[in-house]
Amino acid sequence: MGCFVIAPFLPKVSEKLRRNVLVLMLCFMVLLAFYNLSGAELRDFTVLKSLAEIGLAPLSFTAHPYARMAVFGFLFVGAIALLYGLQVADPREQAVSLVAVASAVGIGFSANFVSLFFFWEVLTFSVAILILLKQTPHAINMGYRFMIFHVAGGLLLFLGILQHYAATGSFVVEKPAAGLIFFALAIGFKAAFLPLHVWVAWGYPTASFPTSVVLAGLTTKIGVYAVARILPPHPAIALMGASMAVFGICCALLQKDMRRLLSYHIISQVGYMVAGAGVAGYYGIDGSMLHVVNHMLYKALLFMSAGSVLLAAGTENLHDLGHHGEDRHVPPVWRGLPIAALGALIGALAISGVPPFNGYVSKYLLKKAMYGAGPAEKMLMFASVGTVVSFCKFCYFGFIKGRAHIKRDITFTMKAAIILASASCIVLGVYPYLVKNILPYHSKLTVYNPAGIITALQFLGMGLVAFFALNKVLERGIKPPAWMSMEYLFYGPIYRTVFRCCRIVSKLDRDLDHIYEMSGKSGSILVSFTQRFDGALNDAYEKSGGMARRLAERAEQFDSALDDAYGKSGELAKKLAGKAAEFDDALDNAYEKSGDVAKKLAGKAAELDGALDGMYEKSGSHSRSLWDRLRGRPTDWNIKNLNFDSFLMALMLGLFLFILIYYTRNI
Amino acid sequence: MEVKTSFLPVWVVMFPMLMTFVIYYVEQHSEKMRNALSVATAVVTFLSVVALYPEIVAGNIIEYRMFQLLPNLEISFRVDILSFSLAVLSSFVWMLVAVYSVDYMCKEHGCNRYYPVLIITLASCMGIFMAGDLFTLFVFFEAMSLISYVLVVHEETVDALKAGYKYLIMTIIGGLALFFGIIITFEVAGTVSLSGPTLFGEPTALGFFAFISFLIGFGMKAGMFPLHVWLPDAHPVAPSPASALLSGIMLKTGAYGLLRVIFHVFGIELMRESGWTLILAVIAVITILLGSAVAITQEDLKRRLAYSSIGQMGYILLGMAILTERALIGNIFHIFSHAFMKSTLFLAAGAIILKTGKRNIKDLGGIGRQMPFTMFAFTLAALAMIGIPPFNGFLSKWTLALGAMDAGVPFYVIILLVSSLLNGLYYLPIIIAAFFGAEHGHEHEPIKVNEAPYKMLIPIAILAVSCLLFGLLPTNLPFDLSRVAADFLLRGGF
């Protein structure tokens, strides 16, 4: 069977053409759905075989029995939802919706984990885009959260698949051999397992109303399908499903927005399916998969009704709708929107499991499967009663008690879609044998027996009684404190912690930068120290030069003193030795000459000293200017005065060292 | 498999080098000729590299010995499959960046400096990839590092000069460390040629010093953890085409050098025995987490991209630390992937800065409707970064993760995934604000389409499509190349 994956991207084509193409697509989808329903042979299909060469598996599709059931729901309900939005939805929304439906079908038919993961991510992103397309700041915030949340889930799936593949070496979709916990978490993200359910209330009520009809069917049901297909049956899963059912109901009772209420109901109903898949067995799986389809039908129906109210009355807040009180001039909603009200009623009865609507059939199977499953069974019963109560609230405050002026009429296709969905609810309820071909285990569908009907009616009765008892409380509304919300308790702190960690790390990074800078600075301080040392050395030389000069001066003095002394001694000798005058004269001359030579020598020494002094001074100033240049501010280091002489020096030094080392090697 | 001698590698290196002078001469007369010549040079270089393909794919190695500088130290070229892969990638990206530069730089000052430097950096980059021994590698490595300083400080603002100063200091430190490592290698082995058997026989203390020196030298270039500080300063201040090259290609030269060191200098057995890879692994993990975490807190778009580069280089280092076959394939393929992704991102960021002057992420609301094409490319690359299936980023992460599983260390996989989530946290808000948000303060004004010129869009588009094309589509050439290269390296690399 070829798969219905390539959805057209047609937001830009003209209005009329787009509609025609869309209608054609819808017919095609419905046809495929019924082809599938007839239980005809579906061939396996593989594309991109080359993927196997790069260590992955090709995208291949196969019609697993579980998948056929789910895919029937995706196609049929997807078609109805698109029909509903045909005239009112944004063209971009329609295009992305098609992609989303296609990727859900893709997940359903995936034969291996590679294609499963691929479509899983496509679904995540297309649904996120559907939420984001509303473009209000709130929607953007929620869409962003949704995206991050599901990307995290996708990464867990990645991890699970990786472990499975590493353990078995095969990508075929089966019960995982390793990494079960990651699979469970990843699927839990999509199937809204309890602490992971928060995204349901972020996403679905925020999107525009035709979109939320499409959304209501897709993501969570994929989760259920994956639970049944991939996770091994385990009592814990059944218990998880049951607690989801109860928790969803409790939250739903507290909601004021119609679509928020319905969103929490999704959690609750998905709880039923998860419970069924958790206990497994023929009835469990059959009931669960049938409930997927049924739930998509009536939940789409309910969302369509709520959307109609939103479009026509401008609000979906149950309290706002009841705001007009008993004002006779404002007609009750059901009179303004009879078709929507009828749809809501049928949907409510179906979801409450009243015979002869489709909800009864699958709930009967589930009940049979849950028989003897311990606490989960009791919890599901409680949830059934709660469902009745909350849908009494939905219908009563929304359509009977609520009053509103009809501002815009709902369009033809919306009406058609509501009627179609209602009719299918009834047909599938009255004649469940339609699906017998694609029920995975072909359970007997003889569900209409007195015991079953009586139980169902009992729940209905109990629910009605409870509703009238709680009527006033529900009308006033209960607002739980903010600290009880999951966002407040869990995700807010997690998100903040992540950011705080990032901030700490970036501070560390900056500190590292500082350390480098500090080391640079201390280096420059060291340099200035050496410069000072150099200056001191210079001074020392200068001083020693001065000393040498003084020494030389003294020598000169001494010399002249000596000269004088010799002179005097000469005179003395003249006086003393008159007789030997010639000899004495000669001697005297000799002495005088030697004095001259000594004088000249002293002069030369002084000159040399002066030159030495000058040289020292020069070398001192030279080295100072080099350091000044090296010490310069970083901004001086630009391309214009890149110091090539210092470079050359470094290079020469390096080469010298290198050659030294090289040649000393042989020694 | 045989060793052949061919002049082609020398031509690949020498041609752009010679053309630099030609461009320098021509630009005195005509700007148009200068631009045309620069693009033509890059194209011819790319084609020359491609001309090596038949020989390489047949499993041959091409060698060419130029001359001896000192006894046993020569300038030689050697092209094997790894060299070829990186050379073909680099010259391809360089070609696109050269085309992109023509319009981007037309309003900038100092183009007469920019183009010759761009081309001579290409030459030295080719020289690095085609070097036949460590000495040649070192020469070209230093040339590329020092010359690209001119690209970093191109703007000549105070910030740019400061960043450039830091870059210069770090480069010199890295270069000295590398020099030290090469000297030790030469001392121990008597040669630094990459064509023979591994140069170190057993893990000695001297060998360890050499390893650390190489790690500092190449790791500095690759943005490895304690040495990455220059990167987030230098990449954002450079003009966008230059930052695309700095981030997309030049970081990879560090990774390439480390690969060569691990496989040719030390050899894989030695690395496994000695446990030195553990150092690399610890550094890689820190680098990944640090880069991704810090990127989240950055407000400047290009700075965020620069930190993201640090994180992604961490993946590549991690691949080298794991050293199983699939990790190595993932590692080499991630070099390809990251080059495509990060060049796309930087070029797209450049287009945004050129058209709107906005650098701060907060101002980017509604930019996706103003520049749909650019932002679409940005989105493709960003999704690839996060690792969403049909893109190449997924494939490299998947292969790396499988490699980590082969080595029996699922911890690394968790690091990879945490980092992917962090990638999501810093890329998704940009994309969402760009397409669905509104410009701050102008919520109700219709947004006019104001796209970048074609010559900029085409390179961006080609790179972005490559992210998709080299993901899950058939005939994945980069993946084949990385697989053959990994196999080649594990066989001993000669």
PDB file of all heavy atoms in Angstrom, chain A residues 447-474:
ATOM      1  N   VAL A 447     -22.066  -6.653  21.771  1.00  0.00           N
ATOM      2  CA  VAL A 447     -21.927  -5.870  22.991  1.00  0.00           C
ATOM      3  C   VAL A 447     -23.276  -5.523  23.605  1.00  0.00           C
ATOM      4  O   VAL A 447     -23.332  -5.074  24.747  1.00  0.00           O
ATOM      5  CB  VAL A 447     -21.153  -4.580  22.706  1.00  0.00           C
ATOM      6  CG1 VAL A 447     -19.740  -4.912  22.365  1.00  0.00           C
ATOM      7  CG2 VAL A 447     -21.814  -3.792  21.610  1.00  0.00           C
ATOM      8  N   TYR A 448     -24.307  -5.695  22.822  1.00  0.00           N
ATOM      9  CA  TYR A 448     -25.604  -5.269  23.365  1.00  0.00           C
ATOM     10  C   TYR A 448     -26.249  -6.398  24.154  1.00  0.00           C
ATOM     11  O   TYR A 448     -27.047  -7.156  23.654  1.00  0.00           O
ATOM     12  CB  TYR A 448     -26.510  -4.782  22.237  1.00  0.00           C
ATOM     13  CG  TYR A 448     -26.020  -3.472  21.702  1.00  0.00           C
ATOM     14  CD1 TYR A 448     -25.388  -3.393  20.478  1.00  0.00           C
ATOM     15  CD2 TYR A 448     -26.161  -2.311  22.467  1.00  0.00           C
ATOM     16  CE1 TYR A 448     -24.900  -2.186  20.009  1.00  0.00           C
ATOM     17  CE2 TYR A 448     -25.687  -1.107  22.010  1.00  0.00           C
ATOM     18  CZ  TYR A 448     -25.059  -1.048  20.786  1.00  0.00           C
ATOM     19  OH  TYR A 448     -24.578   0.142  20.341  1.00  0.00           O
ATOM     20  N   ASN A 449     -25.855  -6.531  25.377  1.00  0.00           N
ATOM     21  CA  ASN A 449     -26.544  -7.475  26.247  1.00  0.00           C
ATOM     22  C   ASN A 449     -27.040  -6.721  27.473  1.00  0.00           C
ATOM     23  O   ASN A 449     -26.529  -5.644  27.791  1.00  0.00           O
ATOM     24  CB  ASN A 449     -25.629  -8.644  26.611  1.00  0.00           C
ATOM     25  CG  ASN A 449     -24.309  -8.158  27.169  1.00  0.00           C
ATOM     26  OD1 ASN A 449     -24.260  -7.065  27.735  1.00  0.00           O
ATOM     27  ND2 ASN A 449     -23.264  -8.931  27.020  1.00  0.00           N
ATOM     28  N   PRO A 450     -28.042  -7.228  28.126  1.00  0.00           N
ATOM     29  CA  PRO A 450     -28.693  -6.462  29.205  1.00  0.00           C
ATOM     30  C   PRO A 450     -27.709  -5.994  30.261  1.00  0.00           C
ATOM     31  O   PRO A 450     -27.766  -4.828  30.676  1.00  0.00           O
ATOM     32  CB  PRO A 450     -29.681  -7.471  29.800  1.00  0.00           C
ATOM     33  CG  PRO A 450     -29.891  -8.481  28.751  1.00  0.00           C
ATOM     34  CD  PRO A 450     -28.682  -8.517  27.888  1.00  0.00           C
ATOM     35  N   ALA A 451     -26.795  -6.860  30.639  1.00  0.00           N
ATOM     36  CA  ALA A 451     -25.886  -6.483  31.735  1.00  0.00           C
ATOM     37  C   ALA A 451     -25.097  -5.237  31.369  1.00  0.00           C
ATOM     38  O   ALA A 451     -25.013  -4.272  32.141  1.00  0.00           O
ATOM     39  CB  ALA A 451     -24.929  -7.641  32.026  1.00  0.00           C
ATOM     40  N   GLY A 452     -24.555  -5.252  30.153  1.00  0.00           N
ATOM     41  CA  GLY A 452     -23.749  -4.117  29.724  1.00  0.00           C
ATOM     42  C   GLY A 452     -24.566  -2.844  29.683  1.00  0.00           C
ATOM     43  O   GLY A 452     -24.133  -1.781  30.153  1.00  0.00           O
ATOM     44  N   ILE A 453     -25.749  -2.952  29.123  1.00  0.00           N
ATOM     45  CA  ILE A 453     -26.579  -1.760  28.986  1.00  0.00           C
ATOM     46  C   ILE A 453     -26.944  -1.221  30.357  1.00  0.00           C
ATOM     47  O   ILE A 453     -26.897  -0.013  30.603  1.00  0.00           O
ATOM     48  CB  ILE A 453     -27.844  -2.088  28.171  1.00  0.00           C
ATOM     49  CG1 ILE A 453     -27.420  -2.425  26.735  1.00  0.00           C
ATOM     50  CG2 ILE A 453     -28.819  -0.930  28.177  1.00  0.00           C
ATOM     51  CD1 ILE A 453     -28.534  -2.918  25.865  1.00  0.00           C
ATOM     52  N   ILE A 454     -27.251  -2.122  31.243  1.00  0.00           N
ATOM     53  CA  ILE A 454     -27.663  -1.667  32.579  1.00  0.00           C
ATOM     54  C   ILE A 454     -26.507  -0.970  33.280  1.00  0.00           C
ATOM     55  O   ILE A 454     -26.672   0.105  33.858  1.00  0.00           O
ATOM     56  CB  ILE A 454     -28.190  -2.855  33.415  1.00  0.00           C
ATOM     57  CG1 ILE A 454     -29.569  -3.247  32.883  1.00  0.00           C
ATOM     58  CG2 ILE A 454     -28.288  -2.495  34.889  1.00  0.00           C
ATOM     59  CD1 ILE A 454     -30.085  -4.542  33.418  1.00  0.00           C
ATOM     60  N   THR A 455     -25.318  -1.542  33.167  1.00  0.00           N
ATOM     61  CA  THR A 455     -24.164  -0.888  33.799  1.00  0.00           C
ATOM     62  C   THR A 455     -23.993   0.512  33.243  1.00  0.00           C
ATOM     63  O   THR A 455     -23.787   1.480  33.982  1.00  0.00           O
ATOM     64  CB  THR A 455     -22.866  -1.674  33.534  1.00  0.00           C
ATOM     65  OG1 THR A 455     -23.185  -3.044  33.382  1.00  0.00           O
ATOM     66  CG2 THR A 455     -21.859  -1.465  34.614  1.00  0.00           C
ATOM     67  N   ALA A 456     -24.062   0.604  31.925  1.00  0.00           N
ATOM     68  CA  ALA A 456     -23.854   1.908  31.301  1.00  0.00           C
ATOM     69  C   ALA A 456     -24.882   2.902  31.811  1.00  0.00           C
ATOM     70  O   ALA A 456     -24.559   4.051  32.135  1.00  0.00           O
ATOM     71  CB  ALA A 456     -23.938   1.776  29.790  1.00  0.00           C
ATOM     72  N   LEU A 457     -26.130   2.437  31.879  1.00  0.00           N
ATOM     73  CA  LEU A 457     -27.183   3.352  32.338  1.00  0.00           C
ATOM     74  C   LEU A 457     -26.994   3.704  33.798  1.00  0.00           C
ATOM     75  O   LEU A 457     -27.291   4.826  34.219  1.00  0.00           O
ATOM     76  CB  LEU A 457     -28.556   2.721  32.100  1.00  0.00           C
ATOM     77  CG  LEU A 457     -28.931   2.644  30.613  1.00  0.00           C
ATOM     78  CD1 LEU A 457     -30.278   1.985  30.449  1.00  0.00           C
ATOM     79  CD2 LEU A 457     -28.931   4.023  29.978  1.00  0.00           C
ATOM     80  N   GLN A 458     -26.478   2.747  34.569  1.00  0.00           N
ATOM     81  CA  GLN A 458     -26.193   3.044  35.977  1.00  0.00           C
ATOM     82  C   GLN A 458     -25.229   4.199  36.100  1.00  0.00           C
ATOM     83  O   GLN A 458     -25.434   5.148  36.846  1.00  0.00           O
ATOM     84  CB  GLN A 458     -25.573   1.816  36.642  1.00  0.00           C
ATOM     85  CG  GLN A 458     -26.578   0.927  37.311  1.00  0.00           C
ATOM     86  CD  GLN A 458     -25.904  -0.321  37.854  1.00  0.00           C
ATOM     87  OE1 GLN A 458     -24.715  -0.549  37.639  1.00  0.00           O
ATOM     88  NE2 GLN A 458     -26.682  -1.134  38.539  1.00  0.00           N
ATOM     89  N   PHE A 459     -24.150   4.109  35.300  1.00  0.00           N
ATOM     90  CA  PHE A 459     -23.159   5.203  35.343  1.00  0.00           C
ATOM     91  C   PHE A 459     -23.810   6.518  34.983  1.00  0.00           C
ATOM     92  O   PHE A 459     -23.585   7.546  35.608  1.00  0.00           O
ATOM     93  CB  PHE A 459     -22.007   4.929  34.365  1.00  0.00           C
ATOM     94  CG  PHE A 459     -21.071   3.866  34.846  1.00  0.00           C
ATOM     95  CD1 PHE A 459     -20.506   2.965  33.964  1.00  0.00           C
ATOM     96  CD2 PHE A 459     -20.744   3.781  36.197  1.00  0.00           C
ATOM     97  CE1 PHE A 459     -19.641   1.994  34.404  1.00  0.00           C
ATOM     98  CE2 PHE A 459     -19.877   2.815  36.646  1.00  0.00           C
ATOM     99  CZ  PHE A 459     -19.327   1.911  35.760  1.00  0.00           C
ATOM    100  N   LEU A 460     -24.650   6.461  33.940  1.00  0.00           N
ATOM    101  CA  LEU A 460     -25.317   7.677  33.495  1.00  0.00           C
ATOM    102  C   LEU A 460     -26.159   8.256  34.621  1.00  0.00           C
ATOM    103  O   LEU A 460     -26.112   9.450  34.921  1.00  0.00           O
ATOM    104  CB  LEU A 460     -26.188   7.366  32.278  1.00  0.00           C
ATOM    105  CG  LEU A 460     -26.912   8.559  31.666  1.00  0.00           C
ATOM    106  CD1 LEU A 460     -25.897   9.534  31.090  1.00  0.00           C
ATOM    107  CD2 LEU A 460     -27.877   8.118  30.585  1.00  0.00           C
ATOM    108  N   GLY A 461     -26.911   7.346  35.280  1.00  0.00           N
ATOM    109  CA  GLY A 461     -27.772   7.804  36.363  1.00  0.00           C
ATOM    110  C   GLY A 461     -26.965   8.407  37.496  1.00  0.00           C
ATOM    111  O   GLY A 461     -27.255   9.526  37.953  1.00  0.00           O
ATOM    112  N   MET A 462     -25.917   7.693  37.900  1.00  0.00           N
ATOM    113  CA  MET A 462     -25.094   8.199  38.996  1.00  0.00           C
ATOM    114  C   MET A 462     -24.509   9.555  38.645  1.00  0.00           C
ATOM    115  O   MET A 462     -24.492  10.491  39.455  1.00  0.00           O
ATOM    116  CB  MET A 462     -23.959   7.222  39.307  1.00  0.00           C
ATOM    117  CG  MET A 462     -24.378   6.052  40.175  1.00  0.00           C
ATOM    118  SD  MET A 462     -23.269   4.655  39.927  1.00  0.00           S
ATOM    119  CE  MET A 462     -21.829   5.232  40.776  1.00  0.00           C
ATOM    120  N   GLY A 463     -24.074   9.662  37.399  1.00  0.00           N
ATOM    121  CA  GLY A 463     -23.477  10.919  36.958  1.00  0.00           C
ATOM    122  C   GLY A 463     -24.477  12.047  37.021  1.00  0.00           C
ATOM    123  O   GLY A 463     -24.176  13.143  37.503  1.00  0.00           O
ATOM    124  N   LEU A 464     -25.687  11.776  36.548  1.00  0.00           N
ATOM    125  CA  LEU A 464     -26.712  12.826  36.535  1.00  0.00           C
ATOM    126  C   LEU A 464     -27.024  13.270  37.957  1.00  0.00           C
ATOM    127  O   LEU A 464     -27.109  14.472  38.243  1.00  0.00           O
ATOM    128  CB  LEU A 464     -27.975  12.318  35.840  1.00  0.00           C
ATOM    129  CG  LEU A 464     -27.874  12.259  34.310  1.00  0.00           C
ATOM    130  CD1 LEU A 464     -29.118  11.614  33.735  1.00  0.00           C
ATOM    131  CD2 LEU A 464     -27.685  13.648  33.740  1.00  0.00           C
ATOM    132  N   VAL A 465     -27.168  12.300  38.850  1.00  0.00           N
ATOM    133  CA  VAL A 465     -27.458  12.638  40.247  1.00  0.00           C
ATOM    134  C   VAL A 465     -26.341  13.505  40.807  1.00  0.00           C
ATOM    135  O   VAL A 465     -26.586  14.562  41.414  1.00  0.00           O
ATOM    136  CB  VAL A 465     -27.625  11.349  41.081  1.00  0.00           C
ATOM    137  CG1 VAL A 465     -27.682  11.691  42.560  1.00  0.00           C
ATOM    138  CG2 VAL A 465     -28.870  10.597  40.649  1.00  0.00           C
ATOM    139  N   ALA A 466     -25.115  13.056  40.553  1.00  0.00           N
ATOM    140  CA  ALA A 466     -23.978  13.797  41.076  1.00  0.00           C
ATOM    141  C   ALA A 466     -23.969  15.211  40.513  1.00  0.00           C
ATOM    142  O   ALA A 466     -23.690  16.186  41.208  1.00  0.00           O
ATOM    143  CB  ALA A 466     -22.672  13.089  40.722  1.00  0.00           C
ATOM    144  N   PHE A 467     -24.305  15.337  39.231  1.00  0.00           N
ATOM    145  CA  PHE A 467     -24.278  16.656  38.617  1.00  0.00           C
ATOM    146  C   PHE A 467     -25.285  17.584  39.286  1.00  0.00           C
ATOM    147  O   PHE A 467     -24.974  18.733  39.602  1.00  0.00           O
ATOM    148  CB  PHE A 467     -24.590  16.547  37.126  1.00  0.00           C
ATOM    149  CG  PHE A 467     -24.712  17.891  36.471  1.00  0.00           C
ATOM    150  CD1 PHE A 467     -23.588  18.693  36.322  1.00  0.00           C
ATOM    151  CD2 PHE A 467     -25.940  18.365  36.046  1.00  0.00           C
ATOM    152  CE1 PHE A 467     -23.693  19.936  35.732  1.00  0.00           C
ATOM    153  CE2 PHE A 467     -26.045  19.612  35.468  1.00  0.00           C
ATOM    154  CZ  PHE A 467     -24.922  20.397  35.307  1.00  0.00           C
ATOM    155  N   PHE A 468     -26.496  17.060  39.511  1.00  0.00           N
ATOM    156  CA  PHE A 468     -27.481  17.960  40.110  1.00  0.00           C
ATOM    157  C   PHE A 468     -27.116  18.295  41.536  1.00  0.00           C
ATOM    158  O   PHE A 468     -27.410  19.384  42.021  1.00  0.00           O
ATOM    159  CB  PHE A 468     -28.885  17.371  39.976  1.00  0.00           C
ATOM    160  CG  PHE A 468     -29.378  17.541  38.571  1.00  0.00           C
ATOM    161  CD1 PHE A 468     -29.583  16.449  37.748  1.00  0.00           C
ATOM    162  CD2 PHE A 468     -29.561  18.817  38.049  1.00  0.00           C
ATOM    163  CE1 PHE A 468     -29.988  16.620  36.433  1.00  0.00           C
ATOM    164  CE2 PHE A 468     -29.969  18.986  36.734  1.00  0.00           C
ATOM    165  CZ  PHE A 468     -30.186  17.886  35.930  1.00  0.00           C
ATOM    166  N   ALA A 469     -26.436  17.371  42.196  1.00  0.00           N
ATOM    167  CA  ALA A 469     -25.999  17.681  43.556  1.00  0.00           C
ATOM    168  C   ALA A 469     -24.927  18.764  43.546  1.00  0.00           C
ATOM    169  O   ALA A 469     -24.908  19.643  44.407  1.00  0.00           O
ATOM    170  CB  ALA A 469     -25.461  16.414  44.227  1.00  0.00           C
ATOM    171  N   LEU A 470     -24.094  18.705  42.554  1.00  0.00           N
ATOM    172  CA  LEU A 470     -22.946  19.632  42.538  1.00  0.00           C
ATOM    173  C   LEU A 470     -23.210  20.867  41.685  1.00  0.00           C
ATOM    174  O   LEU A 470     -22.319  21.698  41.477  1.00  0.00           O
ATOM    175  CB  LEU A 470     -21.708  18.920  41.979  1.00  0.00           C
ATOM    176  CG  LEU A 470     -21.150  17.787  42.820  1.00  0.00           C
ATOM    177  CD1 LEU A 470     -20.074  17.041  42.038  1.00  0.00           C
ATOM    178  CD2 LEU A 470     -20.590  18.317  44.122  1.00  0.00           C
ATOM    179  N   ASN A 471     -24.412  20.986  41.184  1.00  0.00           N
ATOM    180  CA  ASN A 471     -24.748  22.013  40.210  1.00  0.00           C
ATOM    181  C   ASN A 471     -24.228  23.391  40.595  1.00  0.00           C
ATOM    182  O   ASN A 471     -23.539  24.070  39.837  1.00  0.00           O
ATOM    183  CB  ASN A 471     -26.278  22.032  40.084  1.00  0.00           C
ATOM    184  CG  ASN A 471     -26.687  22.860  38.892  1.00  0.00           C
ATOM    185  OD1 ASN A 471     -25.847  23.494  38.287  1.00  0.00           O
ATOM    186  ND2 ASN A 471     -27.959  22.834  38.568  1.00  0.00           N
ATOM    187  N   LYS A 472     -24.557  23.793  41.817  1.00  0.00           N
ATOM    188  CA  LYS A 472     -24.230  25.156  42.238  1.00  0.00           C
ATOM    189  C   LYS A 472     -22.716  25.360  42.297  1.00  0.00           C
ATOM    190  O   LYS A 472     -22.196  26.379  41.859  1.00  0.00           O
ATOM    191  CB  LYS A 472     -24.837  25.429  43.624  1.00  0.00           C
ATOM    192  CG  LYS A 472     -26.349  25.541  43.596  1.00  0.00           C
ATOM    193  CD  LYS A 472     -26.781  26.805  42.870  1.00  0.00           C
ATOM    194  CE  LYS A 472     -28.265  26.735  42.575  1.00  0.00           C
ATOM    195  NZ  LYS A 472     -28.632  27.311  41.290  1.00  0.00           N
ATOM    196  N   VAL A 473     -22.062  24.335  42.862  1.00  0.00           N
ATOM    197  CA  VAL A 473     -20.606  24.440  42.992  1.00  0.00           C
ATOM    198  C   VAL A 473     -19.971  24.591  41.625  1.00  0.00           C
ATOM    199  O   VAL A 473     -19.095  25.439  41.395  1.00  0.00           O
ATOM    200  CB  VAL A 473     -20.042  23.192  43.698  1.00  0.00           C
ATOM    201  CG1 VAL A 473     -18.539  23.334  43.904  1.00  0.00           C
ATOM    202  CG2 VAL A 473     -20.762  22.971  45.012  1.00  0.00           C
ATOM    203  N   LEU A 474     -20.457  23.767  40.683  1.00  0.00           N
ATOM    204  CA  LEU A 474     -19.852  23.795  39.355  1.00  0.00           C
ATOM    205  C   LEU A 474     -20.126  25.121  38.664  1.00  0.00           C
ATOM    206  O   LEU A 474     -19.299  25.626  37.908  1.00  0.00           O
ATOM    207  CB  LEU A 474     -20.391  22.643  38.509  1.00  0.00           C
ATOM    208  CG  LEU A 474     -19.881  21.268  38.910  1.00  0.00           C
ATOM    209  CD1 LEU A 474     -20.536  20.206  38.047  1.00  0.00           C
ATOM    210  CD2 LEU A 474     -18.370  21.195  38.773  1.00  0.00           C
TER     211      LEU A 474
END
